[in-house]
Amino acid sequence: EQVLVELGERSYPIHIGPGLLDRAGELIKPLMQGGRALVVTDANVAPLYLERVQKSLAEAGVVTMHTVVPAGEQTKDFKHLEALLDAMLEARAERGVMVVALGGGVIGDLTGFAASILLRGVDFVQIPTTLLSQVDSSVGGKTGINTRQGKNLVGTFYQPRLVLADTAVLDTLPRRQVLAGYAEVAKYGVIDDEPFFAWLEANGSKVIDGDLEARRHAVAVSCRAKARIVAADEREGGVRALLNLGHTFGHALEAETGFSEEMLHGEAVALGMVMALRLSARLGLAPAADAERLERHFEALGLPTALPRPRLWAVDRLIRHMAGDKKVKDGKVTFVMARGIGKSFLTREVPEAELASMLSEMAAGR
Ligand code: NAD
Ligand code: ZN
């Protein structure tokens, strides 16, 4: 199955399905100028999949090099960026090299950023290996690293030449990571696709538990949704901001937990979507039944719907994190609210009192 991201001459296909790792060479080689590739991956993914990708590239006549960085969010920093740029130059990138990002969102964001600034841009492809990266971060061209001031504050828009989403590699992904990625899948249903949300209500557990066909469908629908939104608004001047559903709230939760293992990004996004729907219901925008429907679905699968205890959640600090979010313009925060599941919209008119009382309710565990 293929999804096309339509961006004029920068258009590219997303291939989706099991077994694509072994077709990497055949699919990447035709895009290459020279005959060399540099595969970038992390220390968890390397022992699982690096050899298969290299073998496939070699069979297509590509000379491959590789560089392995530590796993984890800490790797998205200046130090590892510098090391990666070094490795790329050592690999004589100036003579032409295809950069291959093999891993989750951390690898994709770091490698894409490095590829975008090296020699003012060298070609790269994404081989996302987490559910989150297959349905979200590998598509759309946002790249970047974190700084001491916050997440993703330094980066570029830079599209890959190709995305290979091999759904079979999700078999080795820890269940908690699968669930976290699932939050972003459900997001597409809540944004503007109620029938997909209904499909997830019936088939979400199959997606989580590893049913190949259910996973393929969930990844394909998600990529199609993201591709459509990105094609309409590559640089987030408008509709692309809908993809931030649950993210303004989620970002505040992640900031409070120090962007640590305590709360994964997808877990924060799940809670953030619950908050967005609850606040929408509270403001009379959405039926309360739709907020409950979302919570029931997440609960059924084991995604969080209540703020974890025993941590004390300070409402004023959460609000401050939202206000410090980089999506802020003229001192006002753009929120993604919803008129119901599948009916989200952007607004900058959210009364702070209602926001605070929704957060207090969540902080009190209700
Ligand atoms: P990640 O890359 O850290 O991967 C999660 C963990 O799973 C890591 O420990 C990794 O080594 C491991 N792993 C990866 N693939 C595996 C596999 N197949 N089997 C077993 N283990 C595997 O995290 P992520 O959740 O993929 O991505 C999160 C990052 O993505 C964040 O930095 C976030 O900012 C970024 N992001 C970017 C965009 C974008 O548009 N560019 C969108 C959303 C998120
Ligand atoms: Zn996200």
Side-chain angles (χ1 to χ4, degrees), residues 42 44 73 76 104-106 109 129-130 137 142 151 169 172:
D42 77 24
N44 291 337
E73 188 69 29
K76 265 175 62 172
V106 165
D109 281 13
T129 62
T130 62
S137 63
K142 280 192 187 178
K151 268 197 61 164
V169 305
T172 53

Side-chain angles (χ1 to χ4, degrees), residues 126-364:
Q126 293 261 23
I127 308 186
T129 62
T130 62
L131 182 57
L132 182 134
S133 58
Q134 294 192 349
V135 300
D136 191 356
S137 63
S138 68
V139 178
K142 280 192 187 178
T143 79
I145 58 170
N146 310 322
T147 75
R148 97 176 79 78
Q149 290 82 3
K151 268 197 61 164
N152 299 327
L153 293 177
V154 172
T156 53
F157 284 101
Y158 193 66
Q159 303 292 345
R161 298 289 312 280
L162 171 77
V163 180
L164 294 183
D166 183 338
T167 44
V169 305
L170 303 178
D171 288 349
T172 53
L173 194 65
R175 185 181 172 87
R176 186 176 173 201
Q177 295 283 354
V178 175
L179 275 169
Y182 184 91
E184 306 276 10
V185 173
K187 182 181 79 176
Y188 296 111
V190 181
I191 289 176
D192 65 358
D193 192 348
E194 191 279 334
F196 181 51
F197 189 83
W199 182 87
L200 289 172
E201 289 176 307
N203 298 283
S205 60
K206 287 192 205 159
V207 176
I208 304 292
D209 293 337
D211 180 277
L212 269 180
E213 179 48 31
R215 278 191 174 166
R216 193 200 51 73
H217 183 71
V219 172
V221 173
S222 301
C223 286
R224 235 178 278 139
K226 180 139 188 195
R228 177 171 42 78
I229 292 171
V230 167
D233 175 22
E234 185 180 7
R235 301 230 161 197
E236 200 165 319
V239 290
R240 185 163 181 168
L242 288 172
L243 296 170
N244 296 327
L245 173 67
H247 281 63
T248 301
F249 300 112
H251 186 87
L253 301 174
E254 285 184 278
E256 273 299 279
T257 47
F259 297 96
S260 67
E261 295 281 301
E262 183 180 343
M263 192 179 286
L264 298 180
H265 174 74
E267 293 167 345
V269 169
L271 279 163
M273 284 195 279
V274 166
M275 289 175 167
L277 267 287
R278 276 201 186 190
L279 183 55
S280 298
R282 190 183 261 279
L283 294 171
L285 298 164
D290 281 41
E292 283 156 25
R293 187 177 165 196
L294 180 67
E295 291 180 42
R296 272 200 311 275
H297 179 52
F298 283 171
E299 257 162 33
L301 296 173
L303 271 164
T305 57
L307 290 177
R309 317 222 127 216
R311 178 182 275 280
L312 293 175
W313 298 89
V315 169
D316 55 331
R317 279 217 305 269
L318 289 173
I319 292 179
R320 227 174 308 133
H321 286 308
M322 289 177 209
D325 200 279
K326 68 177 184 297
K327 286 141 210 144
V328 180
K329 260 195 203 150
D330 327 320
K332 273 201 173 181
V333 180
T334 300
F335 283 91
V336 189
M337 293 284 110
R339 296 198 174 80
I341 285 175
K343 297 181 202 155
S344 66
F345 65 99
L346 300 171
T347 178
R348 305 197 323 154
E349 307 304 325
V350 167
E352 189 165 329
E354 291 292 336
L355 169 65
S357 89
M358 180 278 293
L359 289 171
S360 304
E361 180 184 294
M362 295 285 296

